[in-house]
Amino acid sequence: MANRSDFPWPNGCHGTVSLTFDDGSQSQLDIAIPILKAYDLLGTFYINPRGEDWQQKLQPWRGVALAGHEVGNHTIQHICSRNFGWGRAKTLEDITLEEIETDVVEAERRLQALIPEQPVRTFCYPCYQSYVGEGPTRQSYVPVIARHFPAARGMGEAANHPELTDLHYLSASVVAGWMSGSDLCGLAAVAPEQSRWMILAFHSLQQEPSSGRHLGATYHGSALPADSFRELCEYLARHRDQIWTAPVVTVAQEIIAWRQDRRT
Ligand SMILES: [Zn+2]
């Protein structure tokens, strides 16, 4: 087993977990935030400051940030692959690096205006996709994001190694609505087992219990029952001495400082 001092996790913790939430749904405000508060945990909420009335609509998220959670940048337009067939005006295949940068920078300007107390935040790739163009013209927009943020969350199987991971395309496990509390605890347990940073990506939650695991259930198709989420939070609180649970920006800043220390 590796020497624990080889890792940046504070207070002798063996691994790190970040709880992240995409798209700013009402159920996150109604269900996730009170449960996190009950267990004294902080999360990262990636929101889209869109529409004429974005400032008014996003007021609850200002309160979330002031409670210590990270409110992250998830772009304004949430542009994804054409292949979803959503019939939206814009798709990643059709836009340029300049267009995505303009969107992200304007989203950031709005979030700074909403929450001047939180000057640094991380980014989350809509639909976990980090490219523009297609085929011979396809190119990564990760370098664009790296110019503006200390870190960014994508999706991937392996939990993040503090030295080896690309901070601007962090791996995350997507939480499906059918997952039980013990499924979620099993994912979180990977962090101390492997001395890694496990990021979980949540979407909607629901008060009702799950209707069970069923074939064809999609990640976005069903909301996660509150009881499953509560069981995970209870587990993280109980294992606080082994697992450091913190917002993405907090962990990323810790890793950046640790990497710099190791180089000098
Ligand atoms: Zn999204």
Side-chain angles (χ1 to χ4, degrees), residues 41-257:
L41 297 168
L42 295 173
T44 295
F45 295 83
Y46 291 110
I47 65 172
N48 316 95
R50 67 174 148 229
E52 297 268 295
D53 56 346
W54 61 269
Q55 209 145 12
Q56 190 194 337
K57 260 191 335 208
L58 294 183
Q59 275 308 312
W61 295 102
R62 176 171 163 71
V64 167
L66 295 182
H69 301 285
E70 177 187 10
V71 171
N73 186 321
H74 199 35
T75 76
I76 294 175
Q77 299 179 77
H78 203 282
I79 301 170
C80 294
S81 167
R82 183 201 292 147
N83 188 45
F84 285 108
W86 289 336
R88 288 191 181 163
K90 284 186 184 168
T91 67
L92 288 174
E93 285 77 2
D94 303 317
I95 63 165
T96 62
L97 289 177
E98 289 71 30
E99 284 176 89
I100 198 79
E101 185 161 26
T102 301
D103 181 298
V104 166
V105 167
E106 175 58 17
E108 192 54 30
R109 190 191 68 75
R110 295 180 183 185
L111 293 174
Q112 296 279 355
L114 183 77
I115 315 162
E117 296 86 348
Q118 203 172 80
V120 182
R121 62 177 48 75
T122 60
F123 177 81
C124 175
Y125 297 93
C127 303
Y128 326 113
Q129 293 164 325
S130 59
Y131 62 88
V132 298
E134 63 183 311
T137 67
R138 177 157 156 159
Q139 52 189 323
S140 170
Y141 78 80
V142 172
V144 171
I145 296 307
R147 282 202 289 274
H148 297 284
F149 300 91
R153 202 213 75 204
M155 178 184 61
E157 279 178 23
N160 300 283
H161 186 292
E163 191 171 8
L164 305 179
T165 195
D166 180 352
L167 287 172
H168 291 98
Y169 193 90
L170 289 164
S171 180
S173 287
V174 178
V175 171
W178 48 259
M179 286 185 178
S180 67
S182 54
D183 289 335
L184 298 180
C185 296
L187 285 173
V190 168
E193 279 164 21
Q194 301 183 355
S195 298
R196 289 189 178 223
W197 178 17
M198 170 58 82
I199 304 178
L200 299 178
F202 298 86
H203 292 86
S204 299
L205 295 94
Q206 63 180 19
Q207 293 292 2
E208 299 76 27
S210 170
S211 53
R213 191 181 290 228
H214 50 280
L215 287 173
T218 63
Y219 290 128
H220 299 86
S222 55
L224 181 76
D227 284 345
S228 299
F229 185 65
R230 192 176 293 109
E231 193 176 329
L232 170 67
C233 290
E234 196 272 329
Y235 173 87
L236 291 172
R238 190 154 32 90
H239 293 89
R240 217 179 268 283
D241 59 328
Q242 293 164 41
I243 304 173
W244 183 42
T245 303
V248 175
V249 70
T250 311
V251 181
Q253 285 171 327
E254 191 78 19
I255 289 176
I256 290 165

